[in-house]
């Protein structure tokens, strides 16, 4: 029976984030943003993890042969006001991390995933360099409390999306009364790099054996018309602006930015692995009407294999290319796919999206590129930021009124993959026969 096998010890898991699953997170900037009506829906009770339902969801993860889970800590719970640490909240996260360990799930912790405590938001958040010391203090507190159970830390999730979606696109909250614009977004990103560097050093000081990285939302891009130089120029501007701030600073100590480079020497070389969040590939063309995005338009070609809300085009080769780029940029650095998934309430595309992307991961592994694990986004439907509950990324569906979970058929496919540590032709024939030829006779 033909099958693609992964190396022994490969990490198989799912990823979540505090505000998206916990519920009743009322002391952060996103809660405020939702109350002000900027989002399609409100997070509300979310998947009720703070109420204890993380336990049943971790049972689901473990029963379906996953061996790791990535979750995030909510800063506003740990430090509800600048002068108070909430030891009970820290303890709850300890119980969660221990609960994962007891179920055979290695916990991986994200320290910052889009949300900021309200008090930080009031004092201009990541747009003020004082955030660096504040973030370091919070990180120290969390690492001291959880080090018994946690070795893998993600300092910051998708700093590029945080900065650009807030300060350029206006979809995410910025700091209270703060300015917007590309300049500000880049200033925010520079402070996030300083925060990452401070956190990296602090974590290693407390826990020398820790593995510390950040999660990069990486968008491969292609020029729409290869013969038209302005498309290529736009592609490069967009590519560098969206992807390169963090990677350039980690490589050289200088943050590359479309509005001027910034020297951040303390960030150079500070990653033990790179976390890759990959979803799709953008096509880019010159667009005179789009001054806001520096005259570039990013889109998916019309004939794409689209997800339900057309948020994602299924382009699995882009994952292979992303891994290839990482391996070339940082030879030998371990790679973890810290997010990959698709919004699909009917579970019509997810099985093939999953199998095709994992096939690409397998190809990369077979070049001996050091991919160590894969975290599917996500375990259970969760609050999808400005798009609220209109997008469903879970292996399990969630009824937000009753909190009932529904097992989608992708659960069974992913469970088989995790159990086998590989993808077999039988699995593909059973769950997504429409891509059998693509996967087994490419
Ligand atoms: O839900 C988000 C997550 O918080 C960050 N990465 C992309 C996911 C899907 O949009």
């Amino acid at each position: 029976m033909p099958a693609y096998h992964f190396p022994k010890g490969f990490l198989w898991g799912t990823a979540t984030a505090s505000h998206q699953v916990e519920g009743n997170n009322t002391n952060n900037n996103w809660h405020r943003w939702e109350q002000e009506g900027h989002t399609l829906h409100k997070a509300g009770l979310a998947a009720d993890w703070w109420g204890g339902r993380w336990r049943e969801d971790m049972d689901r993860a473990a029963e379906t042969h996953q061996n790791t889970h990535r979750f995030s800590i909510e800063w506003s719970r740990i430090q509800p006001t600048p002068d108070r640490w909430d030891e009970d909240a820290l303890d709850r996260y300890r119980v969660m991390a221990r609960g994962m360990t007891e179920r055979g799930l290695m916990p991986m912790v994200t320290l910052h995933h889009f949300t900021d405590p309200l008090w930080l938001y009031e004092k201009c958040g990541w747009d003020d360099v004082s955030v660096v010391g504040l973030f370091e203090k919070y990180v120290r507190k969390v690492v001291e409390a959880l080090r018994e159970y946690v070795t893998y830390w993600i300092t910051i999730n998708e700093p590029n999306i945080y900065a650009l979606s807030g300060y350029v696109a206006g979809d995410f909250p910025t700091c209270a009364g703060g300015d917007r614009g590309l300049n500000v977004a880049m200033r925010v990103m520079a402070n996030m790099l300083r925060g990452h560097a401070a956190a990296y050093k602090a974590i290693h000081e407390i826990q020398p054996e820790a593995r510390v990285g950040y999660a990069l939302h990486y968008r491969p891009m292609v020029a729409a018309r290869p013969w038209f130089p302005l498309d290529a120029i736009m592609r490069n501007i967009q590519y560098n602006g969206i992807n390169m701030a963090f990677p350039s600073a980690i490589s050289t100590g200088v943050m590359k930015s479309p509005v001027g480079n910034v020297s951040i020497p303390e960030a150079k070389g500070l990653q033990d692995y790179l976390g890759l969040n990959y979803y799709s590939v953008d096509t880019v063309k010159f667009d005179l009407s789009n001054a806001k995005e520096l005259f570039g338009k990013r889109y998916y070609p019309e004939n794409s294999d689209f997800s339900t809300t057309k948020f994602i085009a299924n382009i699995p080769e882009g994952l292979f290319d992303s891994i290839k780029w990482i391996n070339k940029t940082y030879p030998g650095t371990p790679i973890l796919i810290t997010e990959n998934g698709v919004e699909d309430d009917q579970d019509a595309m997810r099985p093939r999206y999953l199998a095709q992307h994992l096939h690409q991961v397998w190809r990369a592994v077979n070049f001996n590129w050091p991919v160590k694990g894969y975290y599917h986004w996500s375990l259970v439907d969760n609050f999808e930021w400005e798009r609220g509950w209109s997008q469903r990324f879970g292996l399990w569906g969630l009824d937000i009124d009753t909190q009932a979970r529904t097992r989608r058929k992708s659960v069974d496919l992913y469970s088989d993959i995790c159990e086998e540590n590989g993808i077999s032709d039988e699995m593909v024939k059973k769950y997504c026969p429409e891509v059998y030829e693509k996967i087994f006779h490419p």
Side-chain angles (χ1 to χ4, degrees):
M1 161 179 98
Y4 296 120
H5 289 290
F6 286 77
K8 198 162 167 254
F10 198 80
L11 293 170
W12 293 108
T14 46
T16 55
S18 55
H19 192 75
Q20 297 182 265
V21 290
E22 284 180 356
N24 285 333
N25 249 322
T26 55
N27 191 23
N28 69 25
N29 57 342
W30 266 91
H31 179 74
R32 171 78 57 89
W33 190 243
E34 291 158 32
Q35 309 315 307
E36 287 171 357
H38 300 288
T39 56
L40 219 45
H41 312 105
K42 295 175 183 164
L45 200 54
D48 194 22
W49 278 26
W50 204 247
R53 288 185 207 262
W54 65 269
R55 289 188 178 81
E56 52 168 289
D57 285 335
M58 286 306 113
D59 287 344
R60 293 185 173 95
E63 280 158 14
T64 53
H65 308 287
Q66 297 174 34
N67 56 24
T68 181
H69 184 74
R70 173 187 167 209
F71 71 113
S72 84
I73 308 287
E74 178 62 37
W75 187 351
S76 63
R77 289 200 195 271
I78 304 298
Q79 196 176 7
T81 55
D83 52 359
R84 189 166 85 81
W85 300 107
D86 187 331
E87 299 294 337
D88 288 345
L90 267 172
D91 210 52
R92 281 227 217 172
Y93 284 117
R94 270 174 67 80
V95 171
M96 254 188 221
R98 185 169 62 229
M100 290 176 200
T101 311
E102 286 164 354
R103 289 168 175 80
L105 300 163
M106 183 198 84
M108 174 188 234
V109 164
T110 311
L111 292 154
H112 184 275
H113 193 123
F114 294 166
T115 52
D116 295 316
L118 270 180
W119 58 264
L120 181 70
Y121 158 87
E122 299 290 356
K123 68 193 291 303
C124 225
W126 289 89
D127 188 14
D128 187 309
V129 74
S130 64
V131 68
V132 177
L134 297 167
F135 183 58
E136 183 188 330
K137 277 197 190 124
Y138 150 74
V139 167
R140 283 182 181 275
K141 194 78 187 167
V142 175
V143 176
E144 293 283 6
L146 296 189
R147 58 179 291 195
E148 189 181 345
Y149 305 110
V150 181
T151 311
Y152 274 87
W153 303 93
I154 292 181
T155 54
I156 300 180
N157 177 73
E158 300 185 347
N160 51 347
I161 301 301
Y162 175 94
L164 296 169
S165 301
Y167 291 87
V168 178
D171 293 331
F172 281 21
T174 57
C175 65
D179 301 331
R180 287 187 199 277
L182 198 53
N183 281 328
V184 194
M186 292 299 149
R187 205 160 64 210
V188 163
M189 209 108 80
N191 284 334
M192 293 190 123
L193 264 160
R194 296 182 183 107
H196 165 76
Y200 179 98
K201 288 179 190 150
I203 298 171
H204 275 291
E205 204 182 292
I206 298 167
Q207 189 188 23
E209 75 281 13
R211 311 310 293 152
V212 187
Y214 71 100
L216 173 69
H217 187 115
Y218 180 75
R219 304 290 298 190
M221 294 185 197
V222 292
R225 294 156 294 187
W227 47 268
F228 189 45
L230 280 179
D231 283 357
I233 292 170
M234 283 310 136
R235 181 265 171 210
N236 291 345
I237 292 175
Q238 297 274 332
Y239 177 87
N240 288 327
I242 289 173
N243 293 312
M244 288 310 292
F246 259 61
S248 57
I250 303 278
S251 295
T252 65
V254 177
M255 183 185 99
K256 226 175 165 180
S257 138
V259 290
N261 296 345
V262 186
S263 173
I264 308 180
E266 67 270 33
K268 188 174 171 187
L270 297 197
Q271 65 182 8
D272 302 326
Y273 64 88
L274 182 57
L276 168 67
N277 292 1
Y278 171 82
Y279 287 89
S280 196
V281 176
D282 288 326
T283 300
V284 186
K285 74 174 181 193
F286 174 69
D287 178 2
L288 202 54
S289 68
N290 200 5
K292 196 169 141 194
E293 291 183 55
L294 302 174
F295 303 108
K297 181 178 163 159
R298 293 186 292 123
Y299 65 100
Y300 300 133
E302 263 171 33
N303 60 354
S304 298
D305 181 16
F306 282 114
S307 60
T308 333
T309 64
K310 296 201 165 178
F311 186 61
I312 287 167
N314 178 21
I315 310 178
E317 300 75 19
L319 178 52
F320 178 85
D321 294 342
S322 305
I323 299 170
K324 185 175 177 183
W325 167 78
I326 297 173
N327 195 56
K328 197 170 147 210
T329 313
Y330 308 108
T333 298
I335 301 164
L336 286 162
I337 316 294
T338 38
E339 284 183 28
N340 171 244
V342 65
E343 97 285 6
D344 183 6
D345 58 340
Q346 299 300 313
D347 210 40
M349 175 195 271
R350 190 175 289 105
R352 70 172 173 274
Y353 184 95
L354 184 55
Q356 287 184 280
H357 282 77
L358 287 174
H359 173 225
Q360 297 298 328
V361 176
W362 176 86
R363 284 184 60 216
V365 167
N366 275 274
F367 276 95
N368 258 336
W369 300 339
V371 187
K372 303 296 182 195
Y374 173 89
Y375 292 79
H376 189 75
W377 186 274
S378 181
L379 179 61
V380 59
D381 284 345
N382 54 56
F383 178 71
E384 192 51 35
W385 308 112
E386 76 277 22
R387 299 175 300 279
W389 294 99
S390 68
Q391 295 187 338
R392 302 297 182 128
F393 277 84
L395 290 173
W396 270 269
L398 172 72
D399 181 326
I400 49 169
D401 296 324
T402 63
Q403 283 294 323
R405 273 71 170 154
T406 322
R407 187 179 171 114
R408 295 188 169 125
K409 79 174 176 197
S410 292
V411 171
D412 300 315
L413 169 59
Y414 195 45
S415 173
D416 287 356
I417 292 172
C418 299
E419 187 177 17
E420 286 301 312
N421 198 27
I423 318 166
S424 70
D425 73 336
E426 268 178 27
M427 294 175 199
V428 173
K429 276 185 190 149
K430 180 168 171 192
Y431 296 104
C432 45
E434 71 278 17
V435 289
Y436 180 83
E437 289 300 318
K438 284 189 177 149
I439 295 180
F440 282 98
H441 302 123

